[in-house]
């Protein structure tokens, strides 16, 4: 049975495709150009390239049997899928960050700019802190620089964006990496194929290649 795989475009795309190829799951991975759906030669898999935030949507709805999604997105949206494997790539951290020299006023309502609204809410609720969430879609670091927010909840990978904007990490909320996720029904009906893909990837991940 053909396994349909949702893969993320953007930052993770190259690494994900390279990993799939090394594992022998995909044969020919050339430049995808603007193409969106790829049939692999052996007919074992078909894969789609979609925006990272949409991978869990395709998997949850069963259009894709499996997919590669960041733990940040999985935690934020809690899709009803199985998380099969930590791919140990795309590593970064979900952090609270602020302008260097920022001093918190503990009793005040904290203005938090973020893409990760649920993550921010649940983090601050666990601390019992009142917040106002300002939902943004990108360039989150701009919010405190323009005094629109006190802090941000965002991903930090190399730390370059923070450094170049005179900002720093205040707290680390979670370690993030890419995960192999599966549709729950597909995992029942295509168990053998999905387990094979998982173990091929798992072997590479554990070799730390
Ligand atoms: C992400 C994240 C940070 C930056 C961190 O943004 O939101 O802004 O990368 O990376 P660094 O620590 O290596 O500098 P992304 O580049 O994905 O774009 P965005 O601002 O549109 O979210």
């Amino acid at each position: 049975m053909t396994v349909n795989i949702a893969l993320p475009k953007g930052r993770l795309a190259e690494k994900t495709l390279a990993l799939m190829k090394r594992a022998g799951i995909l044969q020919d991975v050339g430049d995808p150009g603007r193409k969106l759906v790829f049939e692999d030669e052996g007919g074992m898999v078909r894969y789609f390239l979609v925006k990272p935030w949409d991978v869990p949507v395709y998997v949850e709805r069963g259009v894709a049997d499996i997919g590669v999604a960041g733990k940040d997105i999985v935690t934020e949206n809690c899709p009803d899928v199985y998380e099969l494997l930590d791919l140990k790539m795309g590593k970064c951290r979900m952090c609270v960050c602020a302008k260097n020299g920022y001093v918190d006023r503990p009793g005040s309502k904290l203005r938090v700019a973020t893409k990760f609204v649920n993550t921010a809410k649940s983090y601050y609720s666990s601390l019992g802190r009142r917040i106002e969430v300002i939902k943004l879609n990108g360039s989150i670091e701009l919010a405190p620089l323009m005094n629109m927010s006190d802090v941000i909840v965002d991903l930090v990978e190399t730390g370059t964006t923070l450094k170049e904007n005179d900002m720093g990490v205040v707290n680390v909320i979670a370690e993030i990496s890419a995960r192999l996720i599966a549709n729950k029904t597909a995992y029942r009906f295509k168990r053998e194929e999905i387990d094979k893909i998982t173990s091929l990837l798992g072997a590479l991940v554990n070799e730390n290649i």
Side-chain angles (χ1 to χ4, degrees):
M1 274 190 281
T2 304
V3 177
N4 294 303
I5 312 178
L7 297 177
K9 288 189 199 177
R11 273 191 193 215
L12 267 182
E14 212 173 300
K15 281 183 191 162
T16 310
L17 289 170
L19 182 72
M20 292 279 167
K21 195 175 173 192
R22 270 209 311 269
I25 296 159
L26 305 180
Q27 313 296 324
D28 242 345
V29 179
D31 176 6
R34 304 295 291 175
K35 212 174 154 194
L36 294 173
V37 183
F38 302 83
E39 297 276 350
D40 204 52
E41 251 177 38
M44 290 285 290
V45 299
R46 178 193 298 133
Y47 64 101
F48 329 119
L49 293 174
V50 300
K51 290 270 188 190
W53 284 85
D54 295 338
V55 168
V57 180
Y58 282 90
V59 174
E60 188 177 32
R61 298 186 79 90
V63 173
D65 301 312
I66 57 173
V68 172
K71 183 68 177 171
D72 51 334
I73 294 168
V74 174
T75 304
E76 175 67 17
N77 287 345
C78 297
D80 187 21
V81 298
Y82 291 131
E83 198 178 302
L84 299 179
L85 185 65
D86 182 350
L87 295 169
K88 296 181 182 165
M89 61 177 197
K91 286 188 181 180
C92 53
R93 290 167 159 193
M94 183 67 71
C95 297
V96 176
C97 311
K99 280 193 286 189
N100 287 331
Y102 168 74
V103 181
D104 186 19
R105 289 179 297 121
S108 68
K109 191 177 199 183
L110 196 68
R111 296 171 306 158
V112 183
T114 189
K115 259 191 245 191
F116 302 94
V117 171
N118 296 328
T119 303
K121 280 184 180 166
S122 96
Y123 173 70
Y124 281 106
S125 136
S126 76
L127 300 177
R129 182 72 189 264
R130 282 184 314 132
I131 61 167
E132 176 195 349
V133 176
I134 302 164
K135 164 86 164 80
L136 293 175
N137 295 301
S139 304
I140 316 295
E141 292 82 358
L142 193 57
L145 294 184
M146 296 305 199
N147 200 24
M148 186 164 78
S149 76
D150 301 306
V151 298
I152 62 172
V153 167
D154 198 16
L155 296 173
V156 178
E157 188 181 356
T158 61
T160 310
T161 311
L162 292 179
K163 202 170 163 203
E164 292 192 359
N165 291 289
D166 195 24
M167 294 176 65
V169 172
V170 177
N171 280 115
V172 177
I173 299 178
E175 300 287 338
I176 303 295
S177 58
R179 306 297 160 104
L180 183 70
I181 57 173
N183 174 273
K184 289 189 167 175
T185 309
Y187 193 59
R188 251 201 338 265
F189 291 106
K190 299 186 183 178
R191 179 81 181 247
E192 202 179 310
E193 291 87 343
I194 293 174
D195 277 348
K196 188 170 172 215
I197 289 172
T198 308
S199 68
L200 286 168
L201 290 171
L204 278 189
V205 166
N206 292 328
E207 274 173 26
N208 211 7
I209 296 175

